[in-house]
Amino acid sequence: LKALRRLNLALRDHGADVHRLDTLRLLLFSATEAELFSHAALFFKAKGKGRRVDQTVVERLSVTIPADFIAKLSRVADDLARKDLEVERTYIVRALLHAKHDTTALAKAWSAMEKRYPDKRTLRGQRIERAKAR
């Protein structure tokens, strides 16, 4: 959560109006499968154990993400399993959160993600959806 909070604040400093779950979605949107694979493999090497890094759960995040993000994570998990690294999708997300990120590039990717996957709960997201429907 600290890594997510730091990244979220860095994106806000770059002018992106994001909340922490937006930041998580943005990471999944912008990361390629190869990047997800490498982050997870490096995280696995550094931390070991593919299931849970430690037994402490401070807070659980519940986030709704598009089906293609889930499919991307599943493909990466399968590729890691082929290399004998048994990890769950949540582990891959955790590795992604702890990786180094170019916050300037992420802030620029925010508007592209917002247009492609608008948050229908917000007024802005509803306007984007109506414009796409026209």
Side-chain angles (χ1 to χ4, degrees), residues 27 37 47 49 60 65 79 96 99 106-107 123 127:
L27 287 174
F37 182 96
K47 301 288 185 182
K49 296 184 183 178
R60 289 190 183 272
I65 59 175
D79 289 344
L96 179 62
L106 280 174
L123 290 175
R127 283 193 303 272

Side-chain angles (χ1 to χ4, degrees), residues 11-118:
L11 288 170
R12 285 178 178 224
D13 290 344
H14 284 296
D17 183 23
V18 294
H19 300 284
R20 66 183 187 176
L21 296 181
D22 296 326
T23 299
L24 184 57
R25 285 187 204 98
L26 179 60
L27 287 174
L28 291 170
F29 171 76
S30 61
T32 66
E33 289 182 29
E35 290 169 330
L36 291 171
F37 182 96
S38 65
H39 292 318
L42 290 171
F43 195 66
F44 189 94
K45 183 178 179 183
K47 301 288 185 182
K49 296 184 183 178
R51 297 285 178 199
R52 181 178 283 168
V53 175
D54 59 25
Q55 297 300 318
T56 306
V57 176
V58 177
E59 180 181 351
R60 289 190 183 272
L61 295 176
S62 179
V63 58
T64 303
I65 59 175
D68 52 337
F69 290 10
I70 297 287
K72 182 194 292 191
L73 288 168
S74 294
R75 286 190 301 271
V76 171
D78 289 347
D79 289 344
L80 288 163
R82 288 182 184 95
K83 301 292 185 192
D84 293 327
L85 300 175
E86 294 290 329
V87 299
E88 296 174 356
R89 293 181 305 222
T90 55
Y91 188 88
I92 297 167
V93 172
R94 183 180 292 176
L96 179 62
L97 282 170
H98 286 279
K100 300 267 187 218
H101 298 286
D102 179 354
T103 52
T104 303
L106 280 174
K108 289 178 183 175
W110 168 244
S111 62
M113 189 201 77
E114 197 174 32
K115 287 177 186 163
R116 180 145 182 223
Y117 301 102

